Amino acid sequence: GLVDDDQAASAYSPGWASPEQTRNDPVGPASDQYQLGQLLVRLAGDRLDAPGQAGRELRAISAKARAEQPEDRYEAVAAFGADLQRWLDREPVQAMRGGWAYALRCAVHRRPYT
C-alpha cells in the first residue's frame, strides 16, 4: 500500500478528520460520526443558514455530530440518523433539548391547520 501499518492508523483527509484523529488519539465510531456530520454540512449547504426553526434544528444536529469531544456527540451513529429522520418528519430533535415549548412548536409545524 501507500502507507505502512503504523502510518495507516493516523492517515486522514484534512478537513474531514475528527479532532481525535488530528491529535493522534484513539478513534472509533464517534470519529465516523464526526465525518458524517462534516458530510451533512457539505450536503445541506444553504439549509444550514436558513432562518427559523428548521435551520436552527439542522445546525444543532450538525453541531452535535461534530462536537469537539467524542463524548459530546450522539451516543451512536444510529442516534444521529434518527435525529435527522425526526428533523425530516418535523418532530422534535434530540440535539435541540428544547423542552415542552419546543415540542409544542414542532407539533404546530407538523399540523398547522388542525
Side-chain angles (χ1 to χ4, degrees), residues 60-102:
I61 292 168
S62 69
K64 184 168 179 69
R66 298 176 304 119
E68 180 71 23
Q69 298 301 319
E71 61 271 11
D72 294 334
R73 298 178 197 145
Y74 289 96
E75 61 273 8
V77 172
F80 174 38
D83 227 8
L84 283 171
Q85 187 61 55
R86 282 189 288 276
W87 179 78
L88 289 169
D89 295 339
R90 295 184 172 181
E91 294 178 358
V93 298
Q94 289 181 347
M96 289 291 287
R97 298 181 184 159
W100 66 269
Y102 167 63

Side-chain angles (χ1 to χ4, degrees), residues 17-94:
S18 65
E20 56 271 24
Q21 282 179 295
T22 60
R23 293 188 302 259
N24 284 327
D25 289 347
V27 297
S31 188
D32 296 335
Q33 184 187 133
Y34 180 91
Q35 292 160 350
L36 288 171
Q38 291 288 80
L39 182 60
L40 172 63
V41 169
R42 302 295 195 295
L43 292 175
D46 292 340
R47 286 183 168 211
L48 285 170
D49 298 327
Q53 183 169 310
R56 284 191 304 275
E57 290 168 337
L58 196 54
R59 286 189 298 277
I61 292 168
S62 69
K64 184 168 179 69
R66 298 176 304 119
E68 180 71 23
Q69 298 301 319
E71 61 271 11
D72 294 334
R73 298 178 197 145
Y74 289 96
E75 61 273 8
V77 172
F80 174 38
D83 227 8
L84 283 171
Q85 187 61 55
R86 282 189 288 276
W87 179 78
L88 289 169
D89 295 339
R90 295 184 172 181
E91 294 178 358
V93 298
Q94 289 181 347

